[in-house]
Amino acid sequence: MTLQNVSPEKVGLSTERLARLMAVLQREVADQRLPGAVAVVARHGKLALMDSVGQLNPRTGEAMHNDARFRIYSMTKPIVSVAAMMLVEQGRLLLADPVAKYLPEFAQQNVVMNGEATELQPVLRAATVHDLLRHTAGLTYEFLGSGPVQRQYAQLRLGSRDRSLADFTQQLAALPLMYQPGQVFEYSRATDVLGRVIEVISAQPLQQFLQEQLFEPLRMPDTAFTVPPEFHDHIAEPFARDPDGGLQMKVIDVRTDATLASGGGGLISTAKDYARFLQFLLNRGELDGVRLLGPRTVDFMTTDHLGDIPVAPGGSRALLPAGHGFGLGFAVRKHLGVAPVPGSVGTYFWGGLAGTSFFVDPALDLFACLMLQAPNQREYYRMLFRDMVYAALLD
């Protein structure tokens, strides 16, 4: 049985310094900048920390607890990326396959020229599954800027959860691309498209595929696209108003079934469930005797796949810190220095729009996960958490 609780010192971590981490989070709660949080730190397959602070729901005042359910937004992407690589290992999918092989609506796409939606040119080459996984398919997100393509995304309400994945990809494919496929890293709705590719290949709804192929084998019972009614009182909520006075971000309603199963940002999970997923990754594709990916496939996913491909200016550049590249679903650290947070070369990580985040450091056999719902403060807490976890290491 993995992820048993042990004394932090037994796995090279400091009890005192992990307590300091929780005290700092508690201070943020007392200052009313953070509603509540669950923190997880594990090393050598053992839990050194799983603890909670603050409130589950600021409106009711209920205390946060370790079984709380969080909107993980883009922490959905690594899960869906693993699902796609399972199909690769089964011989049902090639990374070099054009997206249009599975989704014909993506054939014969066009790209905007000179930033003008009225000036289009054909793609130089078709976007591939590889492009979807590493966000080089020429797609974008409407909230990353105000260019003509992003405005069209917003006008069509591509973030709506009221359409099916099939309808979503049909509408998305009809829009021009922002960049030529393979030429620029632009964080995007590519993983939503990847979810639809999985549906077509498996002949199953994405929800069903993930449930049967990942969540049940990895024993992640509380991870899904909707929270069942009997657990509605376990849902973590943000403040009603942004504590820093910014524009309050509206979080998705996870109490009712959404038509769209967003592979890029639709899952809800718990600290316990996501910790099992991270231990599975740290074990290079295996957990509790269940192997879903080969170790070399996990290595392949968690190395840089951008090479010399530039990062788009604006929002995408802000998401990928200095010294990092991007793999197949994860940002990957390439240099010991350069970045503003500590980490070993080969550390990989990602986070979610509402504030959840994780990192995995294979060199130190370490992972950590912070679950919270504080959208506008997320960058601050990601860096704070990373700094304090590394400070707790004794070797």
Side-chain angles (χ1 to χ4, degrees):
M1 183 70 176
T2 58
L3 296 178
Q4 295 175 331
N5 290 284
V6 297
S7 166
E9 280 74 16
K10 289 187 176 180
V11 290
L13 288 156
S14 164
T15 298
E16 178 184 358
R17 288 177 171 238
L18 290 178
R20 181 193 297 171
L21 162 63
M22 298 309 297
V24 168
L25 292 176
Q26 183 61 56
R27 182 192 68 199
E28 294 291 310
V29 170
D31 289 345
Q32 298 187 329
R33 291 194 73 243
L34 177 66
V38 180
V40 180
V41 181
R43 197 174 187 205
H44 305 320
K46 306 293 182 183
L47 277 176
L49 173 72
M50 179 177 279
D51 202 1
S52 58
V53 297
Q55 297 176 332
L56 176 80
N57 187 335
R59 183 178 59 83
T60 65
E62 181 181 351
M64 180 62 76
H65 53 79
N66 292 350
D67 294 322
R69 301 192 182 210
F70 296 84
R71 302 162 183 86
I72 63 171
Y73 281 95
S74 287
M75 277 169 46
T76 304
K77 289 180 172 72
I79 291 174
V80 172
S81 299
V82 164
M85 295 307 293
M86 290 171 66
L87 294 176
V88 169
E89 287 199 336
Q90 294 165 17
R92 303 165 73 184
L93 176 66
L94 296 178
L95 295 190
D97 285 339
V99 176
K101 177 178 178 179
Y102 306 100
L103 308 179
E105 59 265 33
F106 283 90
Q108 299 178 330
Q109 289 188 286
N110 293 306
V111 185
V112 296
M113 292 180 63
N114 305 316
E116 297 293 335
T118 55
E119 296 184 50
L120 303 177
Q121 64 179 354
V123 294
L124 299 176
R125 70 156 176 83
T128 64
V129 174
H130 194 194
D131 289 318
L132 295 180
L133 280 156
R134 66 183 184 177
H135 294 279
T136 57
L139 303 167
T140 186
Y141 264 121
E142 57 276 18
F143 54 78
L144 289 182
S146 57
V149 176
Q150 289 153 336
R151 290 199 299 270
Q152 289 187 59
Y153 278 36
Q155 289 164 3
L156 282 176
R157 296 179 64 246
L158 285 182
S160 169
R161 302 168 75 231
D162 297 331
R163 59 169 66 85
S164 69
L165 256 183
D167 289 341
F168 165 82
T169 56
Q170 288 284 346
Q171 289 191 290
L172 178 63
L175 300 178
L177 296 175
M178 193 160 171
Y179 299 101
Q180 285 285 351
Q183 292 191 1
V184 176
F185 171 88
E186 170 78 341
Y187 193 53
S188 71
R189 293 199 171 276
T191 318
D192 289 320
V193 178
L194 186 66
R196 178 58 184 157
V197 171
I198 292 170
E199 287 191 335
V200 170
I201 294 173
S202 67
Q204 291 181 301
L206 181 62
Q207 303 96 310
Q208 183 180 355
F209 184 87
L210 295 178
Q211 179 65 30
E212 293 178 0
Q213 302 299 318
L214 273 86
F215 302 150
E216 289 179 5
L218 294 181
R219 302 210 309 275
M220 298 169 60
D222 300 326
T223 304
F225 287 98
T226 308
V227 177
E230 61 268 29
F231 294 108
H232 283 183
D233 59 355
H234 284 197
I235 299 171
E237 299 290 358
F239 288 123
R241 294 183 179 180
D242 180 58
D244 293 338
L247 182 66
Q248 181 70 17
M249 193 192 92
K250 184 179 178 181
V251 295
I252 57 176
D253 178 11
V254 297
R255 291 170 170 80
T256 57
D257 283 323
T259 303
L260 180 73
S262 170
L267 284 174
I268 305 98
S269 192
T270 63
K272 292 178 180 179
D273 273 17
Y274 214 87
R276 290 187 62 80
F277 177 67
L278 296 177
Q279 187 64 56
F280 155 80
L281 290 172
L282 190 52
N283 292 349
R284 300 169 72 211
E286 179 272 335
L287 184 67
D288 291 344
V290 176
R291 178 165 292 284
L292 301 184
L293 284 178
R296 296 296 179 180
T297 298
V298 177
D299 295 347
F300 179 61
M301 294 180 70
T302 56
T303 193
D304 176 50
H305 281 250
L306 296 182
D308 296 329
I309 295 173
V311 177
S316 288
R317 183 167 292 166
L319 288 168
L320 207 57
H324 287 74
F326 200 85
L328 305 182
F330 312 87
V332 182
R333 192 175 188 117
K334 299 191 294 182
H335 304 288
L336 186 59
V338 184
V341 288
S344 307
V345 172
T347 296
Y348 53 95
F349 76 92
W350 208 240
L353 192 62
T356 59
S357 63
F358 74 86
F359 65 88
V360 179
D361 187 331
L364 296 176
D365 198 18
L366 168 78
F367 76 78
C369 181
L370 182 65
M371 300 292 244
L372 51 84
Q373 306 281 252
N376 293 357
Q377 291 73 36
R378 61 187 181 273
E379 290 300 328
Y380 172 76
Y381 289 120
R382 285 172 189 166
M383 291 190 288
L384 176 72
F385 183 61
R386 179 85 71 94
D387 286 346
M388 299 201 73
V389 170
Y390 276 95
L393 284 159
L394 298 174
D395 57 36

